[in-house]
Amino acid sequence: MENKIERLIAYVDQLLVTDDKVALYESYKDTIESIQPKDIFLVQNHRIKNGLSHEEALKQVPMLMNLFGQHLEKYIIQDLDENTFLGSLLQENECLDQYLLHLQKVIIQLPEPNAKKQLIERVCHLDDYDKHMKKLENILFPFLEKKDPCFEGVSLMWSMNNKAREILKKVKLDLEQNCEESTVQKDLGELYVTYSSLIVMQKRILIPCAKEEMDDKTDKKLLQESFEYGFAFMDEPNVSFDQHTEGTKDLPQGYIDLQTGRMNVEQLIGVFSSLPVDITFVDEHDKVAFFSKPKDRIFARSVSVIGRNVRNCHPSASVHIVEDILEGFKSGKRQSESFWIQMRGQFILIQYFSVRNDQGKYLGCLEVSQEISHIKKLEGEKRLLDR
């Protein structure tokens, strides 16, 4: 006998070609009514692996929600504390829902002049929701993908976020260019439906799945990461965090804890060598401690320079400038300094940065040099999809 996921896949596939949808529903009724949030990911992942394009899968999201939405209602979580990660996501969506209702009232008042001014302000304020979408993309999605391969399907939700961004950008352009009212109304309608769909998808599928996979300790960790992005339409949660880090207890041998990740020495050397810049680090004692070896280094360096006082690396005529920069970095009066020169047909940007730890202690000076002739010539845009 077919298992549940196979039956759900068969139902969706047959639905796209049958004329008797009622009879088809009756044939699969028991399976449909037993659907759970995670099943949506399993169904779509299977269909994509078997030839359904990502674009077509995205177009079919509304259909899936119409098919299964009412049976997923019972999984909606209502009682999460907004001072938790998942609770804050739900609260942001609740705030967005209320905001969309107010936006709808302003839309109805068009074309009154005052209503248009309010509409522009409210549409622009929807940018705040980007904080929420970035937390999904950079915090929640990676967490789910690590928990279960089936959650690779969150890429569809990422695409829905991008669709919302695109229609918001279009509506702003409509209003800015004073497009015809019919165009504005059409795009505003799509805007409302798109953002409302994000709320529904998260309430019925994403948040219930995340709640199932997440313990309280992980929730608090992800909430702490959220503060890097901010909170949409709401105040920051009132919560304190233990600043003690877990350190290297799970660190593989040979790896270095970099706070935002872990790498071994070979990988670090590879990263520094691949960057299209010359990097030199001078420690807090003004001694050269490190330099990178990119393929096309601008300024020659040899390992003999390691441990050398940086003052001795410059002509005597410019030593006083080096000392002035270092003194400014150490005192905190200056955080960076930039110079640019033309040499051997190249246009070279040379930047110096003060390096400090989290407590503000001066650790040294970083020199970064880059040939930027090609960068100066850039115009317009080249996006990832334009490759």
Side-chain angles (χ1 to χ4, degrees):
M1 182 178 178
E2 298 173 306
N3 65 33
K4 182 172 71 170
I5 301 304
E6 289 172 341
R7 283 180 57 79
L8 288 171
I9 292 167
Y11 171 64
V12 173
D13 289 342
Q14 292 176 51
L15 188 72
L16 295 170
V17 296
T18 187
D19 293 325
D20 195 347
K21 292 179 172 51
V22 174
L24 183 66
Y25 178 87
E26 290 299 322
S27 299
Y28 290 90
K29 183 177 179 180
D30 291 344
T31 304
I32 294 169
E33 291 180 351
S34 70
I35 194 167
Q36 297 176 328
K38 194 173 183 178
D39 296 337
I40 299 294
F41 287 104
L42 294 169
V43 168
Q44 283 301 81
N45 285 353
H46 182 278
R47 298 177 72 229
I48 290 172
K49 287 177 181 177
N50 283 272
L52 182 69
S53 70
H54 186 90
E55 293 74 16
E56 191 60 32
L58 185 61
K59 290 178 184 177
Q60 291 181 11
V61 167
M63 178 193 73
L64 292 177
M65 293 310 299
N66 286 333
L67 292 177
F68 305 123
Q70 71 179 75
H71 304 296
L72 296 171
E73 288 279 345
K74 57 181 173 287
Y75 296 101
I76 292 176
I77 302 169
Q78 306 284 3
D79 56 352
L80 282 179
D81 183 351
E82 65 183 61
N83 291 321
T84 62
F85 175 64
L86 294 180
S88 67
L89 293 179
L90 285 175
Q91 180 61 26
E92 286 176 324
N93 277 342
E94 181 63 30
C95 291
L96 174 63
D97 198 26
Q98 293 302 312
Y99 193 83
L100 290 175
L101 290 176
H102 291 303
L103 179 64
Q104 190 178 46
K105 291 177 182 178
V106 177
I107 293 172
I108 292 172
Q109 295 173 16
L110 287 176
E112 296 177 17
N114 189 48
K116 184 174 181 180
K117 181 181 177 182
Q118 290 184 51
L119 180 61
I120 292 172
E121 291 175 354
R122 289 187 174 276
V123 166
C124 288
H125 192 45
L126 276 174
D127 279 329
D128 203 45
Y129 191 69
D130 202 61
K131 300 171 186 173
H132 177 94
M133 293 191 286
K134 285 179 178 175
K135 285 185 291 189
L136 297 183
E137 295 158 1
N138 296 297
I139 301 177
L140 184 56
F141 291 176
F143 163 77
L144 288 172
E145 288 165 350
K146 290 174 185 174
K147 294 295 289 187
D148 192 319
C150 85
F151 291 122
E152 291 177 3
V154 293
S155 62
L156 281 177
M157 292 190 173
W158 195 320
S159 295
M160 290 180 66
N161 287 352
N162 285 336
K163 180 182 177 183
R165 292 179 175 114
E166 289 169 8
I167 187 61
L168 177 58
K169 183 178 179 180
K170 188 172 190 308
V171 169
K172 286 181 183 176
L173 195 61
D174 289 348
L175 296 170
E176 183 182 303
Q177 296 181 344
N178 292 312
C179 290
E180 292 184 4
E181 184 182 340
S182 58
T183 300
V184 175
Q185 291 282 10
K186 174 180 175 294
D187 290 339
L188 281 169
E190 186 177 356
L191 178 78
Y192 186 89
V193 169
T194 301
Y195 276 85
S196 296
S197 298
L198 293 179
I199 296 172
V200 172
M201 287 283 290
Q202 292 171 42
K203 284 175 64 176
R204 293 179 178 175
I205 300 174
L206 186 63
I207 301 299
C209 283
K211 181 62 177 173
E212 186 73 20
E213 302 287 346
M214 193 178 300
D215 57 27
D216 291 343
K217 182 180 179 181
T218 301
D219 184 286
K220 192 165 186 177
K221 174 181 175 292
L222 300 187
L223 178 64
Q224 187 171 11
E225 292 182 28
S226 293
F227 281 77
E228 294 285 332
Y229 299 89
F231 296 85
F233 306 115
M234 62 177 282
D235 295 332
E236 289 186 349
N238 182 22
V239 61
S240 60
F241 298 101
D242 181 1
Q243 295 304 312
H244 174 70
T245 61
E246 294 186 10
T248 60
K249 72 174 186 179
D250 297 322
L251 202 64
Q253 186 175 0
Y255 280 72
I256 302 169
D257 184 358
L258 300 171
Q259 293 189 356
T260 53
R262 55 183 62 173
M263 299 173 73
N264 60 37
V265 173
E266 183 181 27
Q267 290 171 335
L268 280 171
I269 292 173
V271 167
F272 281 119
S273 298
S274 300
L275 291 172
V277 295
D278 291 8
I279 295 174
T280 302
F281 179 66
V282 176
D283 67 21
E284 70 272 31
H285 304 298
D286 303 335
K287 302 291 181 66
V288 179
F290 166 81
F291 65 89
S292 64
K293 295 181 67 177
K295 180 181 178 182
D296 300 308
R297 207 174 209 290
I298 300 168
F299 299 111
R301 294 279 190 274
S302 65
V303 292
S304 297
V305 78
I306 302 302
R308 190 182 189 191
N309 190 299
V310 70
R311 292 169 182 81
N312 298 331
C313 299
H314 294 265
S316 57
S318 60
V319 169
H320 68 287
I321 300 174
V322 174
E323 291 180 334
D324 182 61
I325 292 173
L326 291 174
E327 179 55 36
F329 286 175
K330 292 174 183 178
S331 67
K333 292 180 180 178
R334 186 181 292 120
Q335 301 302 318
S336 65
E337 192 77 60
S338 297
F339 304 92
W340 45 96
I341 62 173
Q342 297 185 52
M343 181 180 73
R344 299 191 299 270
Q346 297 179 314
F347 196 99
I348 300 167
L349 175 64
I350 307 167
Q351 296 175 287
Y352 297 92
F353 302 96
S354 174
V355 180
R356 297 180 180 276
N357 65 13
D358 291 340
Q359 290 71 47
K361 178 187 175 184
Y362 178 75
L363 301 178
C365 168
L366 187 69
E367 179 192 73
V368 180
S369 302
Q370 184 174 14
E371 205 287 306
I372 62 169
S373 298
H374 63 294
I375 296 176
K376 289 182 63 185
K377 295 177 183 177
L378 295 178
E379 293 181 354
E381 293 183 340
K382 180 182 178 182
R383 297 178 178 269
L384 187 62
L385 294 177
D386 298 331
R387 179 178 174 272

